[in-house]
Amino acid sequence: MDVLQLLLSGLANGCVYGLVALGFVLIYKATEAVNFAQGDFMMLGAFVMVGLVNPHFMGLNFWLAVPIALIIMGALGYLLDLTVLRFMFGQSQTAVVILTISLGFVIRFVAGVIWGHEPQNLHSPLALGDVRFGGVVLSLADIAVIVVTLLMTLALWQFFQRTKLGLAMQAASQNQMAAYYMGIPVKRVQGAVWALAGIVACVAGILYGSKGTLDISAGFIGIKAFAAAVIGGFGSLPGALMGGLIVGVIEPFAARYLPTGYSQIAPYAILIFVLVFRPHGLFAQVRVKKV
């Protein structure tokens, strides 16, 4: 029973990593850039919900605040692309990586100025109860995390496979110039994918905030989410989810059965192992780039 409890708890945490990893993959699939501020976007989305819901801020109804927060974060993602990232067009991926790392510092600073540096609690109805399965206890927030992550992964996979916008995003990542000559509005497509990544980060932030306290350092889980995306296969949406689940499950078992401190390095040990023996990731969708 202890093993089952650890497994389910790890799956819930892994789904949060998977959602943030989905943001990494979304950006990469559409632009071939890596957004190292994705974890901080998640943190910002959670604090936007705190500002909308908590009584000492705006005090809105939780379910009314959710779509407002999603719109705000989607708009921020689009404006980020419009005002900053488009000026990086044609620059190296290294320059974009440095830019997004710097952006993460800016987001943490702004969040600290607005909401302070003390831990905050999100007033969420998902945090108000537990469900028992025999001797195993799961919070409503954990169940919501698992269900929403599975549904979002499926929806995004269908979006990229079956919609014109999803196919246009993939075409733009393969060859931006060719996509432009084929009539695809490359800049607007990239703006849309940054908006979508902001929305996904906001969903992850809401679910993460429902599980416990929040502070501005919460965005550092983006490091684990990046490891999850690499383990699963960068560019694969199902791989991002599976990588997140692997990292999430490894942590509680390492904390339970290995000496103190090993749970923190266990995900990165798995990452090194995968990079050595399967560099493209466990569930990679290897493709040849057309030039």
Side-chain angles (χ1 to χ4, degrees):
M1 197 60 69
D2 184 41
V3 170
L4 185 57
Q5 180 72 64
L6 291 173
L7 176 63
L8 292 176
S9 176
L11 288 176
N13 289 333
C15 283
V16 175
Y17 300 149
L19 277 175
V20 180
L22 284 177
F24 279 106
V25 173
L26 282 173
I27 298 295
Y28 184 77
K29 282 178 74 70
T31 67
E32 292 200 325
V34 180
N35 176 24
F36 278 101
Q38 190 66 23
D40 297 293
F41 263 78
M42 182 219 73
M43 176 271 294
L44 183 60
F47 273 107
V48 167
M49 273 297 289
V50 168
L52 292 171
V53 170
N54 286 16
H56 54 286
F57 288 105
M58 294 185 65
L60 297 179
N61 176 272
F62 180 85
W63 301 111
L64 174 63
V66 167
I68 297 175
L70 296 180
I71 292 170
I72 290 172
M73 290 304 298
L76 284 175
Y78 185 84
L79 288 173
L80 173 65
D81 176 71
L82 181 66
T83 59
V84 178
L85 291 161
R86 289 188 187 180
F87 294 97
M88 301 295 292
F89 187 81
Q91 299 297 319
S92 68
Q93 291 186 5
T94 302
V96 177
V97 166
I98 294 172
L99 174 66
T100 60
I101 293 173
S102 303
L103 179 64
F105 284 100
V106 172
I107 291 174
R108 288 192 292 276
F109 172 78
V110 171
V113 169
I114 297 175
W115 289 282
H117 295 269
E118 296 299 318
Q120 302 264 3
N121 287 299
L122 173 61
H123 290 229
S124 168
L126 300 176
L128 299 179
D130 297 323
V131 177
R132 292 183 177 272
F133 301 95
V136 178
V137 180
L138 272 181
S139 69
L140 290 177
D142 286 339
I143 296 173
V145 166
I146 294 171
V147 172
V148 171
T149 302
L150 292 175
L151 291 177
M152 183 162 285
T153 304
L154 178 61
L156 289 173
W157 184 75
Q158 291 292 319
F159 170 77
F160 273 101
Q161 295 296 318
R162 300 183 181 276
T163 67
K164 289 183 178 180
L165 179 57
L167 294 172
M169 288 177 177
Q170 294 190 73
S173 74
Q174 282 278 293
N175 191 316
Q176 291 184 351
M177 189 62 68
Y180 177 80
Y181 284 129
M182 291 297 292
I184 295 174
V186 174
K187 291 184 178 180
R188 277 186 287 173
V189 164
Q190 291 191 354
V193 80
W194 278 91
L196 184 58
I199 291 171
V200 172
C202 187
V203 172
I206 294 170
L207 294 171
Y208 180 83
S210 298
K211 286 167 58 65
T213 58
L214 278 169
D215 59 55
I216 61 171
S217 66
F220 285 117
I221 75 166
I223 299 173
K224 292 180 182 178
F226 177 73
V230 175
I231 289 170
F234 228 90
S236 169
L237 292 169
L241 174 59
M242 294 304 299
L245 294 179
I246 290 170
V247 171
V249 169
I250 285 292
E251 283 188 317
F253 280 95
R256 176 67 175 82
Y257 296 108
L258 295 180
T260 304
Y262 278 75
S263 63
Q264 297 300 315
I265 67 169
Y268 307 109
I270 297 295
L271 172 62
I272 293 172
F273 181 84
V274 170
L275 288 175
V276 170
F277 293 100
R278 192 173 172 82
H280 293 293
L282 297 177
F283 307 95
Q285 298 172 344
V286 180
R287 62 187 181 183
V288 178
K289 183 172 181 177
K290 299 175 182 178
V291 294

